[in-house]
Structure formats: C-alpha cells, structure tokens
Amino acid sequence: MSLVVTQKDQFQAMIRLLNTNVNGNVKIMYALTAIKGVGRRYSNLVCKKADVDMSKRAGELTGEELERLVEIIQNPLQYKIPQWFLNRQKDHTTGKYSQLVSNQVHSTLREDLERMKKMRVHRGLRHVVGLRVRGQHTKTTGRRGRTVGVTKKK
C-alpha cells in the first residue's frame, strides 16, 4: 500500500509529542506506542476517545487532533478512562491513579527502587546486589557477566 497525501504541505515525516520523536509514516495507533508508557491498547483507547480516524497516518493529523491526543494521554481520568487501565495505580506517596509517560516512567521507577533500597525490602536488597528480583531460579541460570569462584590449580 502506498502513502497517499492530499496536500504536500500538511504531511510531517516526524512529529514531536511528549518529548518523543514519533514517525509520521506509521498509522496513528502504532505511532503513539513510540512514547514510553503508551502501549497498543492504551493508544487505541486514546484514539477512540479523541475521535481520531484510525486509518490516518500520524503525519496527516492536524495540530488540533494532536493536541487532543496529548491532552487525553496526560489526563486520562478526565476523559473517563478506567483506573484499572492506567500504568500507575495507587501511588505510594499520593495514593492517586495516573498514567506515566515519557520521562516520568524512568524517574518514578528510579524513585521506587531507591525507596525499596532505603527501606531494606527484599526486592530492594536484590536490586542492590544485582540478583534476579522476581523469583527466578539462579542456581544454574543467569551466570553471564559474573565470575564464578573456581580457580584452576597450577
């Protein structure tokens, strides 16, 4: 399928949304997944709430449509997106539900790890030592990158 543009000056090959470069040649639902914290299901829901044509490419959207998309991504609860759909549920400090996107994902993850390390929680200690955190077996797997202690006799 070839890319058909009605007016040359409207199409943008690269769009800047939420501190992320988004490819304008890709359909809008899949283009939004380039933003960290936005997956396929969330982008699908956002496009439906913003009344954006899903068959359009990201570069074909108008400025108004892009503003609507960004507004819904940043404030999902105001647009009746359910709480269970969000990626930050019941924040430890505020107790609020929110959707973290772009730089917020990285900074919040770092803060959570620091909080766990400070509290000396089991997960935090595993992060400090550099071991597997989620209950995986470590007796035989995951040896790469570490020196294991048997030395050869001369």
Side-chain angles (χ1 to χ4, degrees):
M1 183 170 124
S2 63
L3 183 64
V4 179
V5 181
T6 55
Q7 295 178 353
K8 286 283 185 189
D9 55 356
Q10 282 187 338
F11 184 79
Q12 295 175 326
M14 194 66 67
I15 303 168
R16 187 83 174 159
L17 290 177
L18 298 170
N19 295 329
T20 308
N21 292 330
V22 175
N23 188 356
N25 297 323
V26 182
K27 295 209 176 185
I28 186 60
M29 186 183 126
Y30 297 103
L32 287 178
T33 60
I35 301 169
K36 196 166 178 81
V38 178
R40 285 184 300 201
R41 292 194 60 206
Y42 188 67
S43 67
N44 185 6
L45 185 62
V46 167
C47 289
K48 287 179 182 174
K49 292 282 184 182
D51 293 327
V52 174
D53 185 15
M54 302 279 261
S55 62
K56 276 189 176 180
R57 306 279 172 170
E60 297 172 355
L61 295 180
T62 64
E64 178 190 309
E65 289 174 326
L66 291 173
E67 287 175 18
R68 264 189 299 174
L69 287 171
V70 170
E71 178 67 25
I72 292 172
I73 289 172
Q74 289 180 331
N75 304 314
L77 293 175
Q78 293 176 359
Y79 293 92
K80 298 183 181 175
I81 292 178
Q83 289 182 343
W84 55 264
F85 217 95
L86 306 179
N87 65 3
R88 182 70 172 178
Q89 299 179 5
K90 244 178 153 193
D91 188 34
H92 289 284
T93 54
T94 62
K96 294 185 179 179
Y97 293 78
S98 62
Q99 178 75 16
L100 302 177
V101 288
S102 67
N103 299 335
Q104 297 171 337
V105 175
H106 181 66
S107 61
T108 308
L109 177 65
R110 190 174 52 238
E111 290 169 8
D112 287 345
L113 291 177
E114 289 302 319
R115 181 181 52 80
M116 285 190 280
K117 290 175 188 175
K118 190 187 235 182
M119 289 173 37
R120 310 291 288 170
V121 180
H122 183 262
R123 268 180 70 190
L125 295 175
R126 301 285 288 189
H127 275 293
V128 169
V129 179
L131 296 173
R132 301 285 171 111
V133 177
R134 297 185 175 181
Q136 298 96 325
H137 292 270
T138 56
K139 182 176 182 181
T140 57
T141 62
R143 293 182 180 178
R144 210 187 244 199
R146 298 198 169 243
T147 55
V148 181
V150 177
T151 58
K152 197 173 185 180
K153 286 188 179 179
K154 291 187 179 182

